[in-house]
Amino acid sequence: MDDYPLLNLFWTMLWFFLWVMWFFLLFKVITDIFRDHSLHGWGKAGWLILVLLVPFIGVFIYVVARGRSMHERDAKQIKENEAAFRSYVQQAAGSGGGGGGPADELSKLSALKDKGDITQEEFDRAKARILA
């Protein structure tokens, strides 16, 4: 460890961090190119070729030219994911407008009993099971 001083270790870690951040930005730009629905075939191909052939300049130009819309697409995707998650949770919890709560089940049981499809004993057992 004497031949590799602490300052060199710091510089190595810094360069490694910058290298990881560069790949993160590169992949973020590439996924944004494919996610953009307003950009069609040749536009996507042109941006992708620019970003892959001259990566530093291509990513810089892409971020400057399309950075705002990139952020808007990210925000839209986050909102869509959040809405889908909330819908799933409501559906799984049984409060998503389709009914399925204990009160709805009891009213269905009562209707079945009133029509004569189930007996009073069956109604009582099902009621106890729902309320338990």
Side-chain angles (χ1 to χ4, degrees):
M1 208 53 167
D2 293 334
D3 58 340
Y4 201 72
L6 186 60
L7 186 60
N8 285 354
L9 179 65
F10 170 76
W11 284 114
T12 302
M13 294 300 290
L14 180 69
W15 281 111
F16 180 73
F17 174 75
L18 291 174
W19 183 71
V20 169
M21 291 303 297
W22 162 249
F23 277 109
F24 176 78
L25 182 62
L26 181 66
F27 292 132
K28 182 81 172 162
V29 166
I30 290 172
T31 56
D32 187 67
I33 290 171
F34 287 108
R35 186 185 337 171
D36 187 8
H37 297 296
S38 66
L39 198 61
H40 298 291
W42 286 109
K44 288 182 182 185
W47 277 114
L48 192 61
I49 289 171
L50 180 68
V51 165
L52 292 178
L53 290 182
V54 280
F56 291 110
I57 295 171
V59 167
F60 179 72
I61 293 171
Y62 188 85
V63 170
V64 169
R66 301 179 53 87
R68 181 177 302 265
S69 60
M70 188 173 169
H71 169 69
E72 291 167 357
R73 281 186 293 280
D74 279 344
K76 180 181 174 188
Q77 183 70 34
I78 289 169
K79 286 180 184 177
E80 289 174 358
N81 288 347
E82 186 176 321
F85 176 72
R86 286 179 189 249
S87 172
Y88 171 75
V89 168
Q90 287 176 349
Q91 180 184 10
S95 63
D104 290 334
E105 290 185 35
L106 286 175
S107 67
K108 289 177 187 177
L109 277 176
S110 177
L112 287 173
K113 185 183 75 144
D114 292 342
K115 286 188 345 185
D117 291 341
I118 60 173
T119 65
Q120 181 65 35
E121 295 169 359
E122 292 172 329
F123 175 77
D124 292 336
R125 279 187 298 208
K127 180 181 169 185
R129 180 180 49 85
I130 290 170
L131 296 176

